[in-house]
Amino acid sequence: MGADNQFPVIQYVNEAGSLKQDEVKLHKEQLYQFYFMMVRARMMDKKCLNLQRQGRIGTYVQYEGQEAAQVGSALAVEDGDWMFPTYRDHAATMSFGHSLRNLFLYWKGRLEGSIPPEGRNIFPPAVPIASQLLHAAGAAWAEKKKNSDRVSIVYFGDGATSEGDFHEGLNFASVFHAPVVFFNQNNGYAISVPMEKQMKSKTIAQKGLAYDIPSLRIDGNDILAVYHETVKAVARARSGGGPTLIEAVTWRYGAHTTADDPSKYRDQQESEIRRKTTDPLLRVERLLKNQGWWKEEEKERMEAEITKEINQALKEAEKFKPADIDELFDHVFAEPVWPIEEQRKQHKRLSREGIQ
Amino acid sequence: MTTVAAGLKKLTMVQAITDAMRTMMRENETVLVLGEDVGVNGGVFRATDGLIQEFGEERVVDTPLAESGIIGTSVGLAVNGFTPICEMQFFGFIYPAFNQIMTHATRMRQRSLGRYTVPMVIRAPYGAGVKAPEIHSDSVEALFTHVPGLKVVAPSNPYDAKGLLIASIEDPDPVLFIEPMRCYRSGRTEVPEDKYSIPLGKAAKVKEGTDVTIFTWGAMVQDTVQAVQKWEETHEEVCEIIDLRTLYPLDKEAIKESVEKTGRVVVVHEAPETGGVSGDIISVINDAAFFYLKAPVQKVTGFDTPVPVYSLEQDFLPSARKITAALEQVLKY
Ligand SMILES: Cc1ncc(C[n+]2csc(CCOP(=O)(O)OP(=O)(O)O)c2C)c(N)n1
């Protein structure tokens, strides 16, 4: 039996917006909440892209097209749980409570941007690919040692599964039965390298088999599938059932980052087709319409509210106190050490004399 | 348009690097290029642009995303007849490969008493100052000059980049070739179209001087030249600038000769101060020219902190004015 048969893509709602799973009960409020969070994520992404084009933030990493995967999974975890994002997962972190102001600050090259709100456990985005899987396994292991029922969720891409850290992360979680949800977003590409060149495995989900970790493959653009399947994985972790690997099949519409030119390696026409077919927002819109619950005014109201929120956050980020060199020196160690203190002093002396 | 002499091309540093690889791949069928996004995409900095079109995917390989995998398999390719040029997408992402470099690539010759050898080049863009995201701006050359069995090369301009990369590819042992990102497209200079090489272990005198020597490399060469130009407008003393180009092994003769002449030294590097290559340079001076020193050696370096996110990177980097301050210090001593 081929791996694609063994791991069929689980779908709750198809592209036409029809329900595929009988046991799921639809709730209007919940659907609107999902929709709101995805619209918010998409608008934030667009804003950042524009700001980058205007030179108001640095290199930016887009996630447009992956909103259902990130929002749906982030809504499945709770207070006290741990989130380990990558550079592309701010739709997840903002849905888990990270502030928009800090997201702007992060892309403005500010350390403050990585600080989560009080009481929320969100790691600074992992930049070295796959390194965060081990942290998630470790933090989850710690929760288990403390006899708590809190869990970790960790995000990573298809390319990340090639790194040793991916395999070590899964094996540790498996060996120590750590309560962690490995949430893979298979967006088809690692920069320019398509999945078929990255691996001969037909699916990412099958990689969990080697570690005896329950694994599944879901439609990552179907927020109902993402949400409900992640809720199940989280529940298993909370109740002592150990790790789960979820492969959410999705697609990034845009470039890898604002420094990338996708026309070098793929036909962007594919993204245009997908915007009209498999788009995660469109799917909920169609579902709401099919249920007779769609209200155009509601969408406009949402957009107005989000625009206000984003603009307010941006204003706060732009008038945020300027970066202070002490941040760099103060937080290397708990207790100061002489080399750094001498460097700080020298730097400040030269700055005072106008030498920078 | 400026005219270019026959047999020369005006190239940026990144183009000169591509040119070096192309030259060697044409000459020697065993030369391979491996790395993340080096094939179809031509590298995230376009350093391998056009190579897959000319040499095909057997020789220009988009590898899986795994640095340890790239270096480890290249050890196997190298001992078995090939000459891999491995691209690390950024120097800050070389760490997963450290084990393979430290325990195998650089020791195979010795462990096998010369039976197995690892002719391999590891290329890596490095350095701050281009507003890159976190971890993309590390300058950790000193971690590698400390590795026995590894040569470390850092060009500062297009001409040197081509000649040094060709020498690195021809070297029978592993070479780490670090490329200052800030210099990739900062200017074009004339580069011979034909093959030429610049020997490893030889520094270049960027500017002749008599009163103080500045030792530096990579992107810091440009800053040093600017600082010195400005400074000499209002000072009598004349500065000598030496671009070390190879950081292991250092050019002991060049260091000795210059220090014997000037007796005053400033070392500039953007890597953190402690454990930086400046320590090795001072050690060479101590051994070879101690009695010629007229003042303690001055250092202008990064701090003993992680390279900061971009809002603070200019504070972290040695600047022309910090270099000037060090010159004043060493000359007034
Ligand atoms: C260890 C390491 N190597 C290389 C890179 C450079 N890099 C950044 S993103 C990326 C591709 C990642 O692809 P994937 O895991 O599929 O995630 P995606 O970016 O598509 O979300 C690479 C190679 C890195 N950040 N870390």
Side-chain angles (χ1 to χ4, degrees), chain B:
Chain B
M1 220 182 85
T2 49
T3 50
V4 182
L8 295 174
K9 297 183 273 203
K10 280 219 152 193
L11 298 182
T12 60
M13 180 190 277
V14 74
Q15 289 170 328
I17 286 165
T18 317
D19 201 42
M21 288 189 274
R22 190 186 300 114
T23 304
M24 291 310 295
M25 292 184 87
R26 281 180 187 165
E27 180 184 297
N28 180 349
E29 282 207 338
T30 73
V31 177
L32 310 175
V33 166
L34 299 97
E36 295 153 11
D37 307 284
V38 298
V40 178
N41 196 39
V44 295
F45 288 101
R46 305 282 173 255
T48 53
D49 209 17
L51 297 183
I52 197 167
Q53 285 79 5
E54 181 169 349
F55 302 104
E57 44 184 61
E58 278 294 316
R59 294 186 64 197
V60 182
V61 187
D62 276 324
T63 66
L65 204 179
E67 292 72 16
S68 179
I70 296 168
I71 304 292
T73 55
S74 289
V75 169
L77 287 161
V79 298
N80 200 8
F82 288 90
T83 311
I85 307 174
C86 309
E87 178 175 293
M88 298 284 101
Q89 202 158 78
F90 288 83
F91 204 14
F93 302 138
I94 198 172
Y95 310 121
F98 201 79
N99 181 37
Q100 288 293 343
I101 296 170
M102 186 73 199
T103 63
H104 294 295
T106 55
R107 293 187 207 221
M108 197 54 74
R109 177 183 291 280
Q110 222 227 4
R111 290 179 65 215
S112 68
L113 295 176
R115 171 75 176 272
Y116 297 119
T117 60
V118 183
M120 163 204 291
V121 179
I122 304 168
R123 297 180 36 249
Y126 85 103
V130 300
K131 288 195 170 189
E134 290 182 277
I135 330 273
H136 289 68
S137 307
D138 285 10
S139 289
V140 285
E141 60 271 24
L143 292 181
F144 295 91
T145 52
H146 193 67
V147 174
L150 186 65
K151 291 174 184 156
V152 181
V153 177
S156 70
N157 61 69
Y159 179 86
D160 284 358
K162 179 170 172 183
L164 288 167
L165 185 50
I166 287 175
S168 301
I169 298 166
E170 291 191 315
D171 197 275
D173 289 305
V175 177
L176 174 68
F177 191 87
I178 57 173
E179 304 167 1
M181 273 181 261
R182 260 175 72 202
C183 303
Y184 266 157
R185 296 187 166 79
S186 64
R188 282 169 197 271
T189 57
E190 290 184 354
V191 175
E193 281 177 16
D194 289 343
K195 180 181 168 184
Y196 63 96
S197 71
I198 296 173
L200 305 188
K202 291 280 171 234
K205 199 172 287 181
V206 177
K207 180 182 172 299
E208 187 84 41
T210 46
D211 302 298
V212 53
T213 308
I214 306 176
F215 294 108
T216 189
W217 58 90
M220 292 297 111
V221 174
Q222 289 178 2
D223 294 295
T224 302
V225 168
Q226 277 169 18
V228 164
Q229 271 169 3
K230 189 113 185 79
W231 191 83
E232 286 186 350
E233 286 170 11
T234 51
H235 295 76
E236 280 179 2
E237 295 94 338
V238 185
C239 308
E240 178 144 305
I241 303 173
I242 294 196
D243 176 357
L244 287 164
R245 303 196 293 195
T246 298
L247 304 178
Y248 192 91
L250 286 169
D251 187 345
K252 185 174 175 182
E253 275 313 304
I255 295 172
K256 176 171 181 283
E257 191 199 298
S258 185
V259 177
E260 284 180 357
K261 176 171 66 175
T262 63
R264 295 179 201 272
V265 176
V266 176
V267 184
V268 181
H269 63 65
E270 64 173 285
E273 179 177 8
T274 302
V277 176
S278 52
D280 293 328
I281 297 165
I282 293 169
S283 166
V284 170
I285 296 170
N286 184 65
D287 293 346
F290 182 77
F291 291 108
Y292 292 85
L293 279 184
K294 299 175 190 150
V297 176
Q298 289 288 316
K299 287 178 285 183
V300 184
T301 69
F303 311 127
D304 288 5
T305 67
V307 183
V309 283
Y310 79 77
S311 58
L312 291 171
E313 71 178 345
Q314 291 307 329
D315 290 280
F316 178 87
L317 283 172
S319 59
R321 295 173 75 182
K322 279 186 184 171
I323 296 168
T324 308
L327 284 173
E328 307 251 353
Q329 191 76 19
V330 76
L331 281 160
K332 79 169 190 226
Y333 186 84

Side-chain angles (χ1 to χ4, degrees), chain A residues 45-343:
Chain A
D45 191 59
K46 286 219 164 98
K47 186 76 185 182
C48 289
L49 197 59
N50 283 335
L51 292 172
Q52 194 281 334
R53 301 233 158 97
Q54 297 161 22
R56 286 157 78 186
I57 62 173
T59 304
Y60 175 70
V61 184
Q62 309 101 293
Y63 50 72
E64 197 193 16
Q66 301 181 210
E67 292 89 349
Q70 295 191 25
V71 172
S73 56
L75 293 178
V77 283
E78 297 169 5
D79 251 0
D81 291 334
W82 290 80
M83 182 175 278
F84 296 83
T86 75
Y87 48 82
R88 198 186 302 288
D89 301 314
H90 23 302
T93 61
M94 67 188 264
S95 304
F96 191 47
H98 198 65
S99 83
L100 300 191
R101 184 202 70 185
N102 281 11
L103 281 180
F104 284 128
L105 286 175
Y106 182 78
W107 297 107
K108 286 167 82 62
R110 298 293 303 270
L111 288 170
E112 290 88 342
S114 292
I115 316 297
E118 211 52 54
R120 271 281 183 249
N121 299 321
I122 307 175
F123 241 47
V127 176
I129 302 297
S131 50
Q132 72 280 14
L133 275 83
L134 287 154
H135 311 151
W141 189 8
E143 293 296 343
K144 187 182 161 208
K145 283 181 183 297
K146 293 194 279 189
N147 289 320
S148 99
D149 68 350
R150 299 296 89 179
V151 307
S152 292
I153 185 163
V154 55
Y155 294 90
F156 55 101
D158 38 295
T161 68
S162 292
E163 289 278 9
D165 278 358
F166 164 79
H167 298 272
E168 295 178 26
L170 261 61
N171 192 41
F172 269 67
S174 165
V175 167
F176 299 109
H177 213 57
V180 48
V181 179
F182 292 104
F183 195 91
N184 173 260
Q185 288 168 84
N186 179 356
N187 67 6
Y189 279 82
I191 309 189
S192 71
V193 179
M195 178 167 164
E196 317 82 77
K197 274 173 90 174
Q198 188 71 238
M199 64 194 80
K200 290 289 180 211
S201 326
K202 297 278 186 303
T203 69
I204 306 265
Q206 75 194 74
K207 299 190 184 198
L209 281 181
Y211 302 99
D212 223 8
I213 292 180
S215 304
L216 56 146
R217 197 162 192 244
I218 61 175
D219 182 340
N221 285 10
D222 169 3
I223 193 165
L224 266 79
V226 174
Y227 175 75
H228 289 292
E229 292 301 327
T230 313
V231 163
K232 284 188 207 166
V234 166
R236 173 160 49 231
R238 284 205 206 295
S239 58
T244 302
L245 171 62
I246 299 177
E247 172 186 357
V249 181
T250 180
W251 184 264
R252 83 167 138 79
Y253 288 146
H256 169 70
T257 70
T258 53
D260 173 53
D261 171 12
S263 70
K264 275 282 214 182
Y265 54 83
R266 72 182 195 189
D267 184 355
Q268 278 297 85
Q269 196 51 37
E270 176 76 20
S271 290
E272 292 316 308
I273 295 165
R274 284 172 185 260
R275 279 177 194 281
K276 296 186 199 108
T277 51
T278 61
D279 185 75
L281 280 69
L282 191 60
R283 191 168 316 188
V284 177
E285 222 173 284
R286 286 175 175 164
L287 177 64
L288 283 165
K289 280 178 184 154
N290 290 345
Q291 298 297 314
W293 291 339
W294 179 254
K295 280 206 203 90
E296 197 63 36
E297 323 81 77
E298 187 51 23
K299 184 181 177 191
E300 285 159 22
R301 193 199 58 74
M302 278 181 191
E303 285 172 354
E305 179 187 330
I306 295 164
T307 304
K308 227 168 104 187
E309 184 194 3
I310 289 177
N311 288 342
Q312 178 60 27
L314 178 61
K315 210 154 101 193
E316 285 170 27
E318 292 201 319
K319 63 169 206 257
F320 198 73
K321 63 179 179 356
D324 178 355
I325 189 72
D326 280 327
E327 281 161 24
L328 187 58
F329 297 119
D330 282 347
H331 303 286
V332 184
F333 293 107
E335 296 296 331
V337 295
W338 70 262
I340 296 180
E341 291 315 300
E342 283 188 5
Q343 289 160 4

